[in-house]
Amino acid sequence: MAYKKKFRKYLEVLEKLRVKQLDVYRYKDKDVLRLFVRGRVVVVELPKHREDMSVEEFEKHIRAAIGGEQ
């Protein structure tokens, strides 16, 4: 449960954007997210781990990846 609490603020950003997180792949230096956006699956490669990013920076990368859709 501590894991969910740690990333709750990032999940809230996804909920605000009406995006469902399917998977998170954690690599040595970055995270890759699989998201369900308006009937399609989008893979978003973040430049670093989510916890190393501010919430605003995270939201900016997600918005750019999904084309600003809401």
Side-chain angles (χ1 to χ4, degrees):
M1 285 306 237
Y3 185 78
K4 280 199 173 226
K5 288 181 183 178
K6 181 177 180 180
F7 295 106
R8 184 68 202 155
K9 58 187 173 184
Y10 302 104
L11 289 173
E12 288 172 356
V13 168
L14 296 176
E15 289 172 3
K16 181 177 95 173
L17 297 173
R18 290 181 267 175
V19 173
K20 182 177 180 185
Q21 178 177 295
L22 300 174
D23 297 313
V24 176
Y25 300 98
R26 292 186 58 86
Y27 294 98
K28 183 175 75 171
D29 59 345
K30 64 184 174 187
D31 284 351
V32 176
L33 286 72
R34 251 184 4 121
L35 306 172
F36 190 70
V37 183
R38 296 180 56 188
R40 61 191 173 99
V41 176
V42 177
V43 177
V44 178
E45 185 174 319
L46 299 174
K48 51 190 168 184
H49 293 291
R50 290 170 291 170
E51 65 271 15
D52 296 336
M53 303 174 80
S54 69
V55 175
E56 294 80 19
E57 184 182 4
F58 175 77
E59 183 174 353
K60 178 182 160 190
H61 281 285
I62 297 300
R63 281 187 186 274
I66 63 175
E69 298 176 21
Q70 287 207 45

